[in-house]
């Protein structure tokens, strides 16, 4: 009897060691320079929405996430080579042209682009006609559905910036009339930077579901991530993470 119990305990220990040994560690790409509040620069004490969310998913699922900060082009190349496993906050359409588009989890939130104005200049925007002749600040390389033809024809004057900080600085200094920006980025900067308090957030000009893009070699982890996302949305954790940066 005792021998049988010892064998059972040994088997359970071995199974526990096996489970621990084969726990997945996934490399997650975050881009150099940060994109607050989605993620911050390497070494910053703030973590950001995506890091907080992945840490919560890790606790829920047992998956370990390792965060690597890389230039965008290198990150895309390493994903295609399978050396980067997860890209957070992506819609499948945005990576459809990649040699390795990847597999996707269920959506954990929506990415919303909004139009912002200086105080007293807020107006409703439903399409390009509402911005005719205006200087509109944008992020270099970003695609804005519904507005690209107007930019191309010159009926709206596109003014590119490298990041959200430079974009909002242009607006408060009246170098542009308005700007398109990720809603969370605007909310976070208005909350934390007194010089931007006068900026007002207007209409949503674009919206897309966002997910975690996973390299096909790690597709087996997607059901566990999906289960964790479902639970974290249901218990309010996802909303709490977003809310603390607004």
């Amino acid at each position: 009897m005792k021998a049988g119990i010892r064998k059972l305990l040994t088997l359970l220990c071995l199974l526990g060691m096996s489970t621990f040994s084969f726990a997945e560690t996934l490399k997650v790409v975050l881009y150099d320079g940060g994109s607050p509040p989605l993620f911050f620069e390497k070494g910053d004490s703030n973590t950001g929405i995506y890091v907080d969310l992945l840490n919560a998913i890790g606790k829920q699922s047992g998956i370990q996430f390792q965060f690597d900060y890389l230039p965008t082009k290198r990150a895309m190349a390493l994903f295609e080579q399978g050396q980067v496993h997860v890209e957070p906050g992506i819609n499948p359409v945005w990576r459809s042209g990649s040699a390795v588009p990847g597999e996707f989890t269920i959506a954990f939130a929506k990415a919303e682009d909004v139009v912002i104005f200086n105080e007293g200049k807020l107006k409703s925007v439903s399409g390009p006609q509402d911005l005719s002749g205006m200087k509109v600040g944008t992020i270099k390389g970003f695609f804005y559905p519904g507005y690209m033809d107007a930019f191309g024809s010159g009926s709206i004057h596109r003014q590119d910036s490298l990041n959200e900080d430079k974009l909002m600085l242009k607006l408060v200094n009246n170098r542009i009339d308005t700007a398109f920006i990720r809603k969370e980025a605007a909310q976070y900067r208005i909350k934390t930077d007194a010089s931007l308090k006068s900026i007002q957030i207007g209409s949503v000009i674009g919206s897309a579901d966002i997910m975690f893009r996973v390299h096909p070699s790690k597709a087996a982890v997607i059901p566990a991530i999906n289960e964790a996302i479902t639970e974290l949305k249901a218990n309010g954790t996802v909303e709490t993470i977003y809310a603390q940066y607004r």
Side-chain angles (χ1 to χ4, degrees):
M1 181 70 174
K2 289 182 179 180
I5 293 174
R6 281 198 298 270
K7 286 182 180 179
L8 178 60
L9 289 173
T10 300
L11 178 60
L12 290 173
C13 288
L14 287 172
L15 286 172
M17 289 173 63
S18 175
T19 301
F20 179 81
S21 298
F22 288 100
E24 287 285 354
T25 298
L26 305 183
K27 292 185 178 181
V28 180
V29 62
L30 301 176
Y31 302 114
D32 283 349
S35 183
L38 304 178
F39 54 92
F40 293 80
E41 291 187 66
K42 185 176 183 180
D44 197 301
S45 58
N46 293 309
T47 54
I49 290 170
Y50 293 163
V51 176
D52 291 352
L53 181 54
L54 282 167
N55 285 335
I57 289 171
K59 289 180 182 178
Q60 193 80 17
S61 66
I63 299 168
Q64 299 179 39
F65 297 101
Q66 173 187 317
F67 300 99
D68 291 344
Y69 291 77
L70 297 166
T72 304
K73 287 185 178 180
R74 178 164 172 75
M76 296 299 100
L78 290 179
F79 184 93
E80 292 182 354
Q81 296 166 21
Q83 295 182 50
V84 166
H85 307 132
V86 178
E87 185 184 14
I90 301 297
N91 183 280
V93 174
W94 303 346
R95 296 294 180 261
S96 59
S98 171
V100 183
E103 305 291 333
F104 289 83
T105 67
I106 60 173
F108 61 83
K110 284 186 178 292
E112 290 186 333
D113 285 328
V114 294
V115 58
I116 55 175
F117 294 89
N118 280 322
E119 190 172 19
K121 297 182 179 179
L122 183 67
K123 61 180 290 187
S124 177
V125 176
S126 60
Q129 69 280 356
D130 298 316
L131 300 173
S132 180
M134 298 177 71
K135 293 179 181 178
V136 178
T138 53
I139 300 297
K140 185 177 181 180
F142 278 30
F143 184 86
Y144 299 93
Y147 292 84
M148 299 305 289
D149 287 344
F151 288 141
S153 69
S155 62
I156 301 175
H157 308 295
R158 179 171 183 163
Q159 304 285 319
D160 278 345
S161 294
L162 293 177
N163 55 49
E164 289 88 353
D165 291 321
K166 294 182 185 299
L167 184 67
M168 295 185 79
L169 188 61
K170 280 184 181 179
L171 182 62
V172 296
N173 288 327
N174 293 306
R175 293 169 58 192
I176 52 178
D177 300 308
T178 183
F180 293 164
I181 190 171
R182 183 78 169 262
K183 187 175 183 178
E184 294 92 352
Q187 290 172 326
Y188 177 76
R189 285 165 175 79
I190 292 169
K191 173 184 176 181
T192 58
D193 188 337
S195 69
L196 304 177
K197 296 293 185 185
S198 62
I199 289 179
Q200 295 181 296
I201 297 175
S203 309
V204 174
I205 56 99
S207 178
D209 288 331
I210 51 172
M211 310 153 193
F212 294 104
R213 179 191 183 206
V214 180
H215 191 271
S217 66
K218 300 294 183 179
V221 305
I222 290 178
I225 295 176
N226 285 346
E227 184 177 346
I229 291 171
T230 300
E231 176 62 26
L232 294 171
K233 289 176 75 172
N235 66 23
T237 299
V238 173
E239 173 57 25
T240 298
I241 289 171
Y242 270 83
Q244 69 180 329
Y245 294 100
R246 293 189 184 123

